[in-house]
Amino acid sequence: MTNDDIEKKRHLNPFFAPYNTPHQTVPFNLISSKDYEEAILEGIRRENEEIDQIINNPEPPTFENTLDWDDKSKGDHYYDLLDRASTVFSCMLSAETNDDLEALAQKLSPALTKHANDVSLNQKLFERTKYVYDHHKALTTEEQTLLDKSYEGFVRSGALLDDKGKARLRELTEQCNLLTLQFSKNLLKENKAFVLNITDKKDLDGLPQSALDAAEHTENGKKVWTFTLDYPSYSPFMTYSTRRELREKMYRAKNTVCTHDNPENNIEICRQIVNLRLETARLLGYKTYADYVLQERMAGDTKTVYRLFDDLISAYKPAALKEVEEVESIARKKEGADFKLEPWDFSFYSHQLQMERYNLDAEMLRPYFELSRVIKGVFGLATRLYGITFKQNTAIPIYHPDVKAYEVFDKDGSFLAVLYTDFHPRKGKKEGAWMTEFQGQWIKKDGTNVRPQVSLVMNLTKPVGDKPALLTLGEVETFLHEFGHALHGMFANTRFSSLSGTNVWWDFVELPSQFMENFAVEKDFLKTFAFHYKTGEPIPDELIQRIIKSRNFLAAYSCMRQVSFGLLDMAYYTLNKPLEGDFVAFENKAQEQARILPLLPEGCMTTQFSHIMSGGYAAGYYSYKWAEVLDADAFSVFKKNGIFDRTTAQRFRDCILSKGGTEHPMTLYKRFRGQEPTIDALLERNGIKRQEGPKHQDNDTRRN
């Protein structure tokens, strides 16, 4: 192929030229599956070329000629091709995947992993970085952070290993990356495969109209109601269906995903992932994978994580057991003294207890949480706190008709970011909710501030027929949570892309998101958007009071559920020998200390626990509770000064949201708060009295 042929081919690939779109946003309408492979492979070649220029530079190593390549500052039209193409590809694998993209991911994984290893194990590049690390001139705080992270990143990636060790590390990372891809592929396929089709109206007893409308369709001229494992379908069914045998069927399906005797079984995949990570950690000189991970976390070590769990269990478990007793009591009052509460009964009878105690449930609130008004409310909250505004731009390309794109402007009217929203479940989208970026923020050497392109992806209740999308309060909280991540990304204002936005330690990244959830039960916030979708009447004060009073309903149970997930995560990654034997038995033992409800013998959380298997939270799921301590403590400042206080919000933006990973997170937090956080604000928020806890157990005693 001639050079002209190559250039022509590149011209046809959207990734190979500046995008002719508003704000250089991704031209999704022009991208085909084959474009990803071509661009990613060429991106690898270009990056290798750049690295060769760095390591072959005859000048002595300096920060500028060795590390400054990270800031992508090589001209007005320069862009990192590999980052550009692989970022879009990764986002589509989660939000809008198909068989072609899944196959391509498997095909490209070895090349991408090899390239990452080639960079991290490049001895000459490490030596230049080490020279700068040992001999550098005075640097700014951000430059010093980048240098420290770069040097430590090389060491943590095997730069000090001998050739045999480096070769084995390559094998381990390549195998693990392929397995995590297969894990995610299996999970998506299994979740989408299960359906509960109901044709007899008797089996719909108890279900609210919103659930019936979403499930109803016609097959062969007959009405059929189809329920799935997607949250907007599964949750109402488990909460409202009076058909206990069908609730059990749904629960068993949900809790045995990827455990069946079929190609989507994830048990051995999980075992291999855990063991590969252990071997990786041991190869790098750590006793366990958790020891390796926690070296770069606020918690610092496993003892601190377990101390958090001990404090939470001591404070919350007695209350959680009492909550379950109360649910069981109302179940027996209705079903008889011999009734045994099973896991598939808990949502159903806890809802009845909630109705008896507070006369409140999700369906009562839905009419006041119409999605378009919720969007205005959440965006309006950001306007009130930070002065930013949002304007939809239909000229910005989108990847699916459900998606909307907004321009975000700062309080002075300057362009701040692009924000995409993608709210509803569909076939090619994985479960859950997340924030991601198509482009991160960074500052060029000429001072140009490249602004981020942030995306919110969720699986909220869909509109049905002429009825708009009506959300639950829980879904409003989910929106606020992910929007908090988005603010972290949109307010980013750092020089280096690798330190920008949400590129922070994982037990700090959930602070901005969980902080935003606090507004969901604040009367003054609800009054700004919660209007009945038919009548336009504002949500009644009396209903808001019921929301506030019920805020801590099952709070202790929910805490123990989260702690049980964290204990499971730590059990796998504090292992100091390979995981063998009965997988389910291991899981059950790991969660025993925080268990509140009876076990489902064949159930298995691990096979669908994407956070710790394929989502980056391995040895880090505790981060949600860690950040909850932070968010409660931080929000207490807003409660004191006023929840819409601009001065407090600006300080939160300046000290935390705009700083990314440029300094140690505790330094950033203390700069905002004036002190380190305590658990007191969380206990007060949840209505829990502090109790004398057990003496901390050394984590070694908990290893299996």
Side-chain angles (χ1 to χ4, degrees), residues 599-620:
L599 277 172
L600 179 67
E602 68 274 27
C604 189
M605 169 68 183
T606 307
T607 54
Q608 55 186 301
F609 202 171
S610 56
H611 277 77
I612 70 167
M613 290 296 159
S614 63
Y617 275 84

Side-chain angles (χ1 to χ4, degrees), residues 240 269 316 450 492 551 624 632 679:
Y240 296 101
I269 288 176
Y316 284 83
V450 178
R551 179 182 189 181
Y624 286 100
I679 197 174

Side-chain angles (χ1 to χ4, degrees), residues 222-258:
K222 295 183 178 181
K223 281 188 178 181
V224 178
W225 291 265
T226 298
F227 298 90
T228 71
L229 301 183
D230 290 332
Y231 180 82
S233 179
Y234 177 82
S235 180
F237 195 93
M238 298 303 295
T239 302
Y240 296 101
S241 173
T242 63
R243 294 294 186 261
R244 192 185 191 205
E245 70 281 4
L246 295 181
R247 293 201 310 269
E248 180 180 356
K249 185 175 183 179
M250 289 284 281
Y251 184 88
R252 289 184 183 276
K254 182 72 170 175
N255 287 274
T256 58
V257 165
C258 293

Side-chain angles (χ1 to χ4, degrees), residues 170-199:
R170 286 177 179 273
E171 294 173 356
L172 293 171
T173 53
E174 288 172 7
Q175 291 174 35
C176 198
N177 285 346
L178 282 171
L179 286 168
T180 57
L181 280 173
Q182 189 63 47
F183 175 95
S184 297
K185 180 180 179 181
N186 290 349
L187 181 55
L188 179 64
K189 189 172 182 179
E190 275 269 285
N191 270 317
K192 300 301 181 183
F194 176 85
V195 293
L196 175 65
N197 288 321
I198 294 177
T199 56

Side-chain angles (χ1 to χ4, degrees), residues 66-132:
T66 301
L67 285 96
D68 236 357
W69 69 296
D70 177 72
D71 76 355
K72 309 177 181 69
S73 308
K74 300 185 178 180
D76 291 340
H77 298 298
Y78 176 78
Y79 55 88
D80 184 332
L81 178 61
L82 178 58
D83 179 69
R84 170 187 266 196
S86 60
T87 296
V88 177
F89 182 57
S90 176
C91 290
M92 291 302 95
L93 280 175
S94 296
E96 186 62 13
T97 193
N98 54 49
D99 290 343
D100 289 344
L101 291 187
E102 295 288 347
L104 186 57
Q106 293 284 334
K107 180 181 179 181
L108 289 177
S109 179
L112 285 166
T113 306
K114 179 181 182 301
H115 175 65
N117 283 330
D118 286 344
V119 175
S120 62
L121 295 174
N122 187 308
Q123 189 62 28
K124 290 184 178 179
L125 187 59
F126 171 61
E127 288 172 356
R128 287 187 68 92
T129 303
K130 185 177 187 304
Y131 184 89
V132 178

Side-chain angles (χ1 to χ4, degrees), residues 480-491:
L480 285 165
H481 179 104
E482 300 307 331
F483 189 72
H485 285 309
L487 290 174
H488 203 180
M490 293 190 296
F491 283 142

Side-chain angles (χ1 to χ4, degrees), residues 3-20 27 30 35 38 42 46 79 84:
N3 288 336
D4 287 343
D5 291 333
I6 293 174
E7 289 304 315
K8 183 178 179 181
K9 187 176 182 182
R10 289 178 182 173
H11 176 71
L12 297 174
N13 189 321
F15 289 116
F16 283 94
Y19 299 148
N20 186 27
L30 302 179
D35 292 328
E38 181 185 29
E42 172 62 13
R46 289 187 188 182
Y79 55 88
R84 170 187 266 196

Side-chain angles (χ1 to χ4, degrees), residues 6 91 102 156 190 232 274 344 376 382 420 435 447 498 555 560 571 628 663 688:
I6 293 174
C91 290
E102 295 288 347
R156 288 170 58 80
E190 275 269 285
V274 169
W344 49 85
K376 289 179 182 178
Y420 299 87
M435 166 268 185
S498 61
M560 286 298 93
E628 199 172 346
E663 295 184 70
I688 301 294

